């Protein structure tokens, strides 16, 4: 029997496996550069992404560093060129920044609020291989038409080999929310009579009794009482007609205990005790940072001054004089302010000592915007001409010219360890660029001895930290014709009102939404962010 053998390897197939191996080797040889390029490109992209991520974090660090400065001084950008901020140019004026830990470079108020940057040249090294550079645009200047300060921060790698497009640029538009956002801000209940006209927001942690005409929101932690027209002749602080809306002019609305937390800027109930920090900061700045510190005296040869009188001059200076009061308080009877209480005088930053200073003088406005007095401060004795927005006509009034007034040129806050007394017309040389803050540890008064023109026209943001805002005790109602005020008012409790004027116009100064007084108190939610974005890397 024959056994047939099968051929398991047909003829012609010998060497195919070797050919396949050769083709595979050739294919891999051809593809390997592409695979290597792909892997290299992927690694590069991953590295670039990592660099960009770290550069973005560095840019954010710059934003956060600047916000921290604004928390302590809402007008920081008008006072200093920050460490890490690029060199500013304003006309022929150039101010370079410094690097931490050096102190910031002062920005003179005379250089204005508009500037440019030639280049990014103040890189702050974060110590992790990355740096940031800042550029700041003040509100309502240049291309920034908002009430928000524009912060531009650029982050980059410190490596020379890092590509320029690995930089990251972050922008934020933000503004501080402060008590200067309100026409009236009070812990105690507030009462407005039928002669009142208000075009700024009002807030109280008590009840609000309102018989005037309101062109802006009314806010109360408790109740709002808007008596009907028939009740105007009665007690303005009555509970008649609760929540009647006849006193509000659209678009004004009211927020009371049922919906106050939904009111703009009032998501958190403010704590008045935190506002004291602003007075402490102003005192420190007046003593240690070239501010103006008016002392109560340290010698015993004469009695300390009863008060300090300050008048602002339209040329950018201010005049101070020590005062001697009569038997009556300085808000009730005009004191003698002639600077005769010498050797008790002003300490002007570090420019002179107590024993070397006279009781009067004329000096430049402090570059840091801080004036502090241990004694009561009286605003009076002005001889300049300027403008005020305190006019009749509700929210659409225009500026009026003042003469023989106290005229502010610059940005300044006055804090008193006692009271502040307004006894003179006052205004701004350039509204929208100049601003005045008046912070009293105790009470804020309108003097009962104002000039005999039977009216008072003044501008400024005012605070009675531990007291009230209003007229002195014992002044008869209707003693004067009209008070025109443009600015804001804050107080711990309701005072004696302003019934000594037949008519009172409380015009809110809209410039306070972006030009707040230096060192002025902020609210619990201090910043509102309008915009946060990344710009193209080449910016």
């Amino acid at each position: 029997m024959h056994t047939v053998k099968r051929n398991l390897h047909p003829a012609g197939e010998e060497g195919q496996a070797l050919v396949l191996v050769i083709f595979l080797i050739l294919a891999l040889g051809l593809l390997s550069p592409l695979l290597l390029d792909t892997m290299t490109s992927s690694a590069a992209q991953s590295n670039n992404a990592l660099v960009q991520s770290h550069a973005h974090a560095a840019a954010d660090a710059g934003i956060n560093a600047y916000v921290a400065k604004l928390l302590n001084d809402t007008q920081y950008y008008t006072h200093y060129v920050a460490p890490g901020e690029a060199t500013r140019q304003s006309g022929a004026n150039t101010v370079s920044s410094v690097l931490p830990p050096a102190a910031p470079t002062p920005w003179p108020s005379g250089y204005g609020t508009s500037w440019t940057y030639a280049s990014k040249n103040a890189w702050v090294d974060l110590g992790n291989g990355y740096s940031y550079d800042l550029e700041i645009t003040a509100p309502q200047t240049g291309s920034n038409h908002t009430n928000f300060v524009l912060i531009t921060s650029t982050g980059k790698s410190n490596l020379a080999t890092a590509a320029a497009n690995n930089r990251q640029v972050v922008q934020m538009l933000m503004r501080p929310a402060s008590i200067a956002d309100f026409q009236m801000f009070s812990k105690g209940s507030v009462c407005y009579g039928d002669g009142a006209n208000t075009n700024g927001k009002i807030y109280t942690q008590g009840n609000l009794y309102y018989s005037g005409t309101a062109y802006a929101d009314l806010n109360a932690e408790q109740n709002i009482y808007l008596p009907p027209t028939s009740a105007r002749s009665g007690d303005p602080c009555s509970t008649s007609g609760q929540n009647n809306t006849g006193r509000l002019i659209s678009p004004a609305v009211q927020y009371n205990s049922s919906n106050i937390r939904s009111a703009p800027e009032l998501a958190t109930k403010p704590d008045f005790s935190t506002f004291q920090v602003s007075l402490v900061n102003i005192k420190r700045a007046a003593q240690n940072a070239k501010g103006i510190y008016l002392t109560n005296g340290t010698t015993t040869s004469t009695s300390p001054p009863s008060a300090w009188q300050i008048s602002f001059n339209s040329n950018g200076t201010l005049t101070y004089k020590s005062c001697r009061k009569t038997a009556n308080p300085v808000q009730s009877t005009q004191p003698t302010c002639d600077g005769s209480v010498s050797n008790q005088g002003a300490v002007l930053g570090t420019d002179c000592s107590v024993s070397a200073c006279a009781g009067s003088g004329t000096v430049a406005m402090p570059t840091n915007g801080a004036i502090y007095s241990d004694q009561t401060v009286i605003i009076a004795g002005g001889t300049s001409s300027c403008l005020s927005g305190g006019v009749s006509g509700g929210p659409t009034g225009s500026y009026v010219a003042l003469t023989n007034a106290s005229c502010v040129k610059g940005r300044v806050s006055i804090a008193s360890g006692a009271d502040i007394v307004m006894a003179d017309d006052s205004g701004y040389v350039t509204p929208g660029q100049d601003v005045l803050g008046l912070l009293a540890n105790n009470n804020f008064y309108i003097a009962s001895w104002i000039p005999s023109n039977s009216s008072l026209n003044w501008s400024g943001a005012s605070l009675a930290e531990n007291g009230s805002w209003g007229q002195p005790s014992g002044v008869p109602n209707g003693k004067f014709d009209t008070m025109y005020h443009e600015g804001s008012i804050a107080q711990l409790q309701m005072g004696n009102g302003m019934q000594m004027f037949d008519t009172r116009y409380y015009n809110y100064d809209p410039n306070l939404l972006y030009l707040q007084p230096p060192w002025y108190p902020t609210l619990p939610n201090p910043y509102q962010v309008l915009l946060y974005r990344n710009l193209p890397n080449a910016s």
Side-chain angles (χ1 to χ4, degrees):
M1 182 176 179
H2 258 11
T3 302
V4 179
K5 293 185 179 180
R6 296 183 181 273
N7 188 352
L8 297 180
H9 302 285
E13 295 183 7
E14 292 86 351
Q16 286 192 8
L18 179 60
V19 172
L20 290 175
V21 170
I22 293 173
F23 274 120
L24 182 59
I25 292 173
L26 291 174
L28 290 175
L30 293 173
L31 290 175
S32 59
L34 297 176
L35 292 174
L36 182 60
D37 287 345
T38 300
M39 293 174 63
T40 302
S41 174
S42 178
Q45 290 177 3
S46 177
N47 183 68
N48 285 342
L50 183 64
V51 170
Q52 289 178 7
S53 175
H54 289 171
H56 189 281
D60 272 339
I63 294 281
N64 293 335
Y66 201 82
V67 170
K69 293 174 175 60
L70 290 174
L71 285 171
N72 293 321
D73 178 5
T74 58
Q75 296 294 299
Y76 185 91
Y77 49 89
T78 65
H79 297 150
Y80 301 103
V81 179
E85 182 179 347
T87 298
R88 290 186 187 181
Q89 294 180 332
S90 176
N93 303 307
T94 299
V95 177
S96 299
S97 145
V98 295
L99 296 179
T105 307
W107 177 256
S109 60
Y111 289 3
T113 59
S114 180
W115 52 79
T116 59
Y117 300 96
S119 63
K120 304 180 191 301
N121 62 354
W123 297 99
V124 174
D125 191 338
L126 294 172
N128 62 350
Y130 291 83
S131 301
Y132 69 80
D133 176 275
L134 293 169
E135 297 179 1
I136 310 299
T137 306
Q140 296 291 341
T141 58
S143 60
N144 181 15
H145 304 296
T146 74
N147 293 333
F148 293 66
V149 59
L150 176 63
I151 307 171
T152 302
S153 179
T154 303
K156 72 166 187 176
S157 169
N158 295 339
L159 295 175
T161 55
N165 64 2
N166 285 335
R167 293 185 179 186
Q168 290 287 292
V169 184
V170 175
Q171 273 192 339
M172 179 183 287
L173 272 172
M174 60 189 307
R175 66 171 295 273
S178 86
I179 58 177
D181 290 351
F182 293 80
Q183 172 69 59
M184 167 61 76
F185 198 92
S186 178
K187 184 174 183 179
S189 295
V190 174
C191 174
Y192 282 85
D194 59 354
N197 298 267
T198 60
N199 72 337
K201 294 181 291 185
I202 296 172
Y203 169 78
T204 172
Q205 294 188 351
N207 293 319
L208 174 57
Y209 306 90
Y210 194 92
S211 297
T213 302
Y215 295 87
D217 294 353
L218 303 179
N219 306 272
E221 295 284 351
Q222 298 183 26
N223 298 311
I224 298 177
Y225 299 98
L226 302 170
T229 303
S230 59
R232 280 180 181 256
S233 59
D235 180 8
C237 299
S238 70
T239 60
S240 173
Q242 178 183 359
N243 293 335
N244 182 292
T245 59
R247 300 283 186 252
L248 277 71
I249 307 300
S250 180
V253 297
Q254 57 178 307
Y255 297 90
N256 57 25
S257 58
S258 65
N259 62 348
I260 187 65
R261 295 284 77 85
S262 62
E265 302 169 322
L266 295 170
T268 302
K269 184 177 180 179
D271 181 359
F272 271 70
S273 64
T274 61
F275 301 160
Q276 191 75 36
V277 175
S278 292
L279 279 79
V280 174
N281 288 340
I282 294 177
K283 183 175 183 179
R284 184 182 299 114
Q287 289 176 305
N288 304 321
K290 290 291 185 179
I292 296 177
Y293 181 31
L294 303 173
T295 74
N296 62 4
T298 58
T299 68
T300 58
S301 58
T302 58
S303 299
S306 304
W308 288 97
Q309 176 181 290
I310 293 178
S311 55
F312 293 98
N313 308 312
S314 57
N315 63 357
T317 64
L318 64 90
T319 300
Y320 65 92
K321 297 178 181 179
S322 59
C323 303
R324 304 187 315 276
K325 73 179 185 68
T326 66
N328 298 321
V330 296
Q331 66 268 20
S332 300
T333 302
Q334 184 172 6
T336 300
C337 299
D338 56 8
S340 61
V341 184
S342 60
N343 291 331
Q344 309 287 335
V347 177
L348 308 178
T350 58
D351 295 340
C352 64
S353 64
V354 174
S355 61
C357 292
S360 64
T362 297
V363 296
M365 290 273 280
T367 56
N368 66 358
I371 301 175
Y372 186 86
S373 170
D374 291 323
Q375 306 293 80
T376 292
V377 172
I378 303 169
I379 307 299
T383 60
S384 296
S385 298
C386 53
L387 300 174
S388 174
V391 296
S392 59
T396 58
S398 59
Y399 291 108
V400 296
L402 302 177
T403 57
N404 292 319
S406 193
C407 296
V408 175
K409 183 179 181 180
R411 298 172 293 277
V412 64
S413 286
I414 300 176
S416 167
D419 302 326
I420 289 182
V421 179
M422 177 61 65
D424 198 4
D425 287 347
S426 72
Y428 301 129
V429 174
T430 308
Q433 292 186 20
D434 307 323
V435 68
L436 172 64
L438 300 163
L439 299 86
N441 187 53
N442 297 328
N443 304 299
F444 186 97
Y445 293 108
I446 302 297
S448 60
W449 46 268
I450 62 173
S452 58
N453 60 3
S454 293
S455 66
L456 182 69
N457 193 321
W458 67 284
S459 300
S462 54
L463 165 66
E465 170 66 32
N466 294 298
S468 61
W469 192 102
Q471 66 188 36
S473 300
V475 184
N477 291 347
K479 180 179 179 180
F480 303 104
D481 290 339
T482 308
M483 183 185 76
Y484 304 97
H485 172 235
E486 182 191 51
S488 69
I489 299 166
Q491 62 181 8
L492 183 72
Q493 58 193 14
M494 185 167 62
N496 295 321
M498 292 306 303
Q499 304 296 321
M500 69 182 194
F501 294 96
D502 282 332
T503 304
R504 288 88 60 201
Y505 288 96
Y506 300 97
N507 289 345
Y508 179 70
D509 183 358
N511 296 314
L512 292 174
L513 291 174
Y514 67 90
L515 187 67
Q516 297 164 358
W519 321 98
Y520 218 67
T522 58
L523 293 177
N525 300 313
Y527 287 98
Q528 300 174 334
V529 176
L530 179 66
L531 172 72
Y532 177 91
R533 66 178 181 178
N534 269 78
L535 294 182
N537 291 344
S539 298

